[in-house]
Amino acid sequence: MRRRLLLTLAAASAALPAAHRQVVAQTPRADARLPVTASFSILGDMVREVGGGRVAIRSIAGPEADPHLFQPRPSDVQAIQEARLVVRNGLAFEPWFDRLIRSAGYAGPVVTTTDGVQPRGMENHEHGHDHGDGVTRRRQHYVPPRQVADPHCWQDLRLGQAYVRSIASGLAAADPAGADLYRRNADAYLQRLAALDGWVRAQIATVPPARRKVVTSHDALGYFGDAYGVRFLPAQGIMPEGQPSAAQVAALIRQVRAEGITAVFLDAPGSAPVLRRLAEEAGVRVSGRLYADALSPPDGPAPNYEAMFRHNVGLLVPAMRGNA
Ligand SMILES: [Zn+2]
């Protein structure tokens, strides 16, 4: 139906002189919603919550797509060109998306959801510190700052709330007529996320502190760990590239055995072989699949940001206790 209408318009415009063709091209589309393009599925879901029916959201890296390694299609350029607002995570999470913005020649507004967020692990450890006696000494053991900032800030629901506030401001600036709606939607969503944050804390509190240790495929849950008091031991770094070395895997296996860790989780579709081998050699089983960097399809266990936390925590708590 829509396609037929476009073809009819194209045929009509081809029959008109150039001056009239311009008028046809500027006629508002049947879809009057604000076109917004987000880099990956989790940001797209947040935009959908805040934008409601006023926004037509497109996520370039969709459900089950790994945003680290995503390869855009030529048609994705059009999704940027047609957008009136673009939403990205930043902190070098999606360099392919920044290249897409450039090749699309997009000059409209861009929301970077990590603007104003202090990335974890990037504090400068080199400075001296006070031991309480007024004397500042050099730290005994130098801890080098991370080489790269951890971009997975949405895994802390309080930082997720900061994302939602940035998105609401960006939508209101791009579409002032919808500002009241965006604020109301954002307020309701922020309240739900704050309640979910409390639920996550209450759930984690049921696990004895010594058992709050989890092996994952890549370092995607560091913010979750910092926020909710869980120690994550990732087989791979912040970027899930290449394979961990045999020595790294052996060290992790020793640690799983020595500390009696029972929670071993996949966090990306491509990470299965190394994790399965690790679990087998450590004498534990893979506890399941966490959603870290992408949502599931609508009929899966993590179709939106809130469901992702309920799914992950629902798997993590029994697995950490050892009775998964
Ligand atoms: Zn990741």
Side-chain angles (χ1 to χ4, degrees):
M1 176 100 169
R2 170 107 188 251
R3 185 178 163 79
R4 192 174 303 156
L5 177 67
L6 288 174
L7 287 174
T8 310
L9 280 174
S13 96
L16 290 169
H20 290 108
R21 229 177 278 166
Q22 192 60 31
V23 173
V24 171
Q26 285 175 356
T27 304
R29 307 184 267 177
D31 186 349
R33 295 177 297 168
L34 183 78
V36 180
T37 299
S39 56
F40 74 111
S41 55
I42 292 168
L43 297 186
D45 178 57
M46 291 176 169
V47 173
R48 187 178 294 109
E49 286 288 348
V50 178
R54 275 188 83 87
V55 164
I57 176 69
R58 282 200 267 193
S59 301
I60 302 289
E64 299 290 356
D66 183 342
H68 290 286
L69 309 170
F70 188 76
Q71 298 196 326
R73 301 140 294 206
S75 62
D76 292 330
V77 172
Q78 198 185 346
I80 306 274
Q81 281 167 340
E82 291 174 357
R84 283 181 49 208
L85 180 68
V86 157
V87 181
R88 65 195 276 277
N89 184 76
L91 298 179
F93 182 60
E94 65 266 88
W96 54 269
F97 189 70
D98 302 334
R99 287 193 293 274
L100 210 53
I101 291 175
R102 279 196 298 277
S103 52
Y106 177 81
V110 177
V111 167
T112 299
T113 52
T114 55
D115 273 357
V117 171
Q118 167 72 47
R120 75 183 264 270
M122 292 297 282
E123 319 82 59
N124 183 6
H125 290 280
E126 210 172 1
H127 62 82
H129 61 289
D130 192 329
H131 281 256
D133 54 4
V135 180
T136 299
R137 300 189 185 87
R138 301 288 294 176
R139 199 181 269 265
Q140 289 291 318
H141 305 286
Y142 171 70
V143 182
R146 264 171 207 277
Q147 295 304 302
V148 284
D150 183 348
H152 304 86
C153 311
W154 63 88
Q155 289 295 345
D156 174 346
L157 280 157
R158 287 167 310 179
L159 298 180
Q161 290 170 69
Y163 278 32
V164 169
R165 285 189 208 98
S166 297
I167 289 168
S169 306
L171 285 172
D175 174 26
D180 280 349
L181 175 78
Y182 299 139
R183 199 182 50 244
R184 281 199 306 276
N185 287 349
D187 285 348
Y189 190 32
L190 289 167
Q191 277 186 23
R192 295 207 308 275
L193 296 182
L196 186 58
D197 184 75
W199 176 81
V200 173
R201 285 170 204 284
Q203 289 295 306
I204 301 297
T206 66
V207 180
R211 296 214 53 83
R212 295 178 197 163
K213 294 174 192 163
V214 180
V215 173
T216 56
S217 353
H218 91 289
D219 195 359
L221 289 145
Y223 288 93
F224 185 106
D226 290 354
Y228 306 113
V230 174
R231 188 153 158 246
F232 285 95
L233 305 160
Q236 282 177 287
I238 283 166
M239 292 287 288
E241 286 174 330
Q243 293 292 319
S245 72
Q248 282 172 307
V249 174
L252 202 45
I253 289 168
R254 279 196 301 275
Q255 192 168 359
V256 168
R257 284 190 185 136
E259 300 183 22
I261 295 170
T262 48
V264 176
F265 283 95
L266 303 171
D267 62 48
S271 58
V274 67
L275 253 270
R276 290 195 198 289
R277 208 165 54 240
L278 184 150
E280 194 177 319
E281 289 187 31
V284 298
R285 62 189 187 88
V286 175
S287 317
R289 158 88 193 278
L290 301 176
Y291 282 82
D293 294 4
L295 300 176
S296 71
D299 57 352
N304 60 61
Y305 181 57
E306 294 165 273
M308 179 182 81
F309 273 88
R310 287 192 291 267
H311 168 80
N312 288 350
V313 171
L315 289 182
L316 282 167
V317 166
M320 288 191 289
R321 286 208 201 106
N323 53 8

